[in-house]
Amino acid sequence: MKADPKLDAAFAALAHPVRRAILSRLADGEETVNEIANPFDMSLPAVSRHIRVLEEAGLVTRGRQAQFRPCRLNPGPLATVANWTEQYRPIWTARFDTMAEALKSLEDNPHE
């Protein structure tokens, strides 16, 4: 299988719950680093490091408004992740269908 550095970077960035929470916040619109950091119980430099990981993966971009550098979500890499996972949909759909059939069989024949 051929390595895809962009996909690897996106998955690595998404692996941490704080980074996923940051992306969720940015899905509602752009925010400054201070606004992003507000709900987290961690230092501003720690939040900045998480944002840097998201930037390096291409998931976040920073603009420039006077002295502020608002962060915004870049959904492109998320589409890449979604496309990659989509190839596995037939597998998990088949497994869920098999499980549903087994549960239905248990309901229909509870004493077997």
Side-chain angles (χ1 to χ4, degrees):
M1 176 181 260
K2 184 180 170 196
D4 183 343
K6 289 183 180 182
L7 184 62
D8 294 345
F11 272 114
L14 293 170
H16 198 284
V18 168
R19 293 193 286 264
R20 292 191 305 272
I22 290 169
L23 290 179
S24 292
R25 290 179 59 86
L26 294 177
D28 293 333
E30 65 181 38
E31 292 188 355
T32 64
V33 174
N34 286 335
E35 291 169 332
I36 292 169
N38 191 36
F40 298 106
D41 186 25
M42 63 178 60
S43 69
L44 191 59
V47 172
S48 291
R49 284 190 294 273
H50 283 296
I51 292 170
R52 191 172 318 113
V53 171
L54 292 168
E55 277 186 290
E56 290 170 359
L59 292 161
V60 167
T61 60
R62 288 196 204 199
R64 186 172 293 287
Q65 293 176 348
Q67 72 272 25
F68 299 105
R69 297 204 53 208
C71 299
R72 64 182 63 83
L73 176 67
N74 177 21
L78 292 175
T80 302
V81 169
N83 290 337
W84 183 86
T85 58
E86 189 62 31
Q87 68 184 325
Y88 296 99
R89 180 179 297 278
I91 296 168
W92 76 67
T93 300
R95 289 183 182 171
F96 287 144
D97 290 346
T98 300
M99 183 172 61
E101 289 172 16
L103 292 172
K104 176 85 170 102
S105 176
L106 288 172
E107 285 177 1
D108 292 345
N109 305 304
H111 299 294
E112 285 188 13

